[in-house]
Amino acid sequence: MADQIIHPKSNLARRAHVASFEQYEQLYAASLRDPRAFWRERAARVDWFHPFERTCRQDFGNAEVAWYLGGKLNAAYNCVDRWLEDRAEQTAIIWVADEPGEYRHISFHELHENVGRLANLLRAHGVRKGDRVCIYLPMIPEAAFAMLACARIGAVHSVVFAGFSAESLRDRIDDADCQVVLTANEGLRGGKVIPLKATVDAAVEGLPVRSVIVKQRTDTPTPMKAGRDYDFDEEMSKQRAFCPVEWMDSEDPLFVLYTSGSTGRPKGQLHTTGGYLVYASYTHELVFDWHRGDVHFCAADVGWITGHSYIVYGPLCNGATTVMFESTPVYPDASRYWQVVDDVQASIFYTAPTALRALIRFGDEPVKQYGRESLRVLGSVGEPINPEVWQWYHDVVGGGRCAVVDTWWQTETGGILISALPGATPCKPGSATFPLPGVRPMLVDEQGTELTGNDVAGNLCITGSWPGQARTILGDHERFRQTYFTTYPGRYFTGDGCRRDADGYYWITGRVDDVVNVSGHRLGTAEVESALVAHDYCAEAAVVACPHEVKGQSIYCYVIPGQGAEGVEPATIEQELVKAVRDAIGGIATPERVQVVPGLPKTRSGKIMRRILRKIAESNYEDLGDITTLAEPAVVEQIVAGHKAGKS
Ligand code: WTA
């Protein structure tokens, strides 16, 4: 069956930055003919204190990439000060509080004052250029102030998603050697209280953290440790609003953001200043077809890369009005997003398929309660979007009038690499469509041979650098090189599988490594396994991804009980181990199920056959493949029996 094609709406095309598919093709061809010239021109969108001398240096063999060499700029200056002249009173941030109807509008002028004060506050607490600062805040404007305040003085922020546990937070604070932590007494999400300060207290115990700055988000008092903990508002009131900006080199670090890979502990992806900023702002304008006056509503959390690039840096660097949403899609009911869209008159809305799948279950009524006339572009990110969900997004949420852009990218890429463009791209629901200008994807087979032409499927690589690319893993460049540049030498390996169909459309098929994507959040199976074996109820563990209707994937754990579990009921072991994972990583990693097993299917050389475990987890018992080569084939039957019993 031929795929259905949804053509760009003519009213969108008329005003779009890229107004037809021919225009896209010309732009794309030009960008590949002379990538350096292409990216040199794009750099003019940013304000440089000192011009750069060379556009790009690239050596994928050594994982060395640098952009806009010799240039000096400041990210906070570009996101804030630059707009004071002609849009000081324009709203920069619309904060949407958890409680419906509660909004706060922050103008560029106010943003400037807050960022300046906070930058001075950080300086007063000893933060200097190059120092790392941990931000563990809920979705409140102070999170954006904090990122920009760091950028202003050349400090490197490390935002940790406020759903991570004390243990995860501790690892990240320790790895980045953060001496100052910004947090809130509590967070509020969907009416639920999240005890952030208590988590920070547990996390920093014994670490050389000098100052913990605490914003009072709620009225609940929190214990403050004298000499270490400070009240945010009180400290802010002591500071003047003016703070000079630090001139940063284009390649000076802007931030570090941790993400999971297939092995070991989360990696601190380091992004630098010039290239990241050019890339985030360019792609924000291009992919969402942003025009001055448009309200940009990205419903992500600043704890993820999507929040960094498309709530804070991209939009603000373009002088946009950006929305920060503290709540959930279903609080107080399933119409919340659409209520916000109408209230703030959002033109652009950006969310993850998992949220859409959760909302579809409530039917069309909650959407139709609101008019949504302001919407023009709808974006999707984080995981493959099912064609039916794409169609619902287009027909129901967008009322058939809006463009839907499925945007593929990663923490490592800094910004979107493959996506439709609202005024230009004929879409196939479920396909991320085509690469953005300047981006060169390549499909390869297991041996690394390029799959040329169309109607091919393989692993997705990118063959040349783009400005938004992460430069290294904090403190471990060799791991960076190994992870991304050695599987297919000379190319950046994304970890994703991908199909290019007969018409050249790209379809991301999901991770080909041991990364699980739960509700659009990346988790490594190795991290979950080490959380399990740290408990004395567990001797050995194997964790696999299992398809899930709403979350996309869920976490399924097989465990062999440890010595401490002797005489303990399997049900208790399972509950305890679920809790152990939550405690070690956070609620987002909560296993769908922990199954106690007598053994794991292993080859004679001791390798766990995850393929078999995946099939069992998805109740696909018939198609387990050849199990005769296993050391103990009988164990498979026992695992299947245990899985069936657990379902009933
Ligand atoms: C997946 C999120 C299909 C992919 C920005 C990638 C997607 C991982 C899409 C990165 C998409 C992201 N279609 N899959 N549109 N967008 N992914 O680092 O597997 O949290 O490798 O960055 O999410 O997740 P990360």
Side-chain angles (χ1 to χ4, degrees), residues 119-143:
N120 283 326
L121 183 162
L122 292 173
R123 282 216 171 116
H125 283 262
V127 177
R128 300 285 173 263
K129 180 175 173 178
D131 290 352
R132 268 81 58 198
V133 172
C134 177
I135 300 173
Y136 187 70
L137 280 168
M139 281 295 285
I140 54 178
E142 286 73 13

Side-chain angles (χ1 to χ4, degrees), residues 530-546:
S530 59
L532 290 166
V533 297
H535 196 290
D536 69 352
Y537 278 9
C538 176
E540 203 181 340
V543 171
V544 297
C546 180

